[in-house]
Amino acid sequence: MPKLNEMHEKYAKKGLVLIGVHSDPKTAEGKKSVAETGAKYPIAYDGGALMKAFNCDSFPDYVIIDKKGIV
């Protein structure tokens, strides 16, 4: 988490948008976990749909989407 916070703080003014996605259906546990880690960027809760859509097979996993929307 510290490296992601660092990246967010360093590049946000240059247009980088970093969004964490918590895919565990146990949202309350996820919110607690996120609060403990100190994420400085938004976290979305989706129950696993995005992980399936982007074929993520590990946790954490990363998807980069450019300004044109290309994955």
Side-chain angles (χ1 to χ4, degrees):
M1 191 68 64
K3 289 292 183 185
L4 294 175
N5 281 337
E6 181 181 319
M7 185 183 341
H8 169 70
E9 291 174 345
K10 184 174 182 178
Y11 296 108
K13 291 180 183 176
K14 295 181 179 183
L16 175 74
V17 177
L18 182 62
I19 302 170
V21 179
H22 182 65
S23 296
D24 191 330
K26 300 173 186 168
T27 303
E29 291 178 25
K31 287 182 180 181
K32 180 182 175 189
S33 176
V34 168
E36 290 171 355
T37 61
K40 296 182 179 181
Y41 49 87
I43 306 292
Y45 298 89
D46 82 331
L50 283 174
M51 285 192 73
K52 290 177 187 173
F54 288 107
N55 295 314
C56 298
D57 59 1
S58 62
F59 182 80
D61 211 334
Y62 304 90
V63 177
I64 298 172
I65 305 171
D66 71 8
K67 290 181 181 183
K68 294 179 183 177
I70 299 171
V71 177

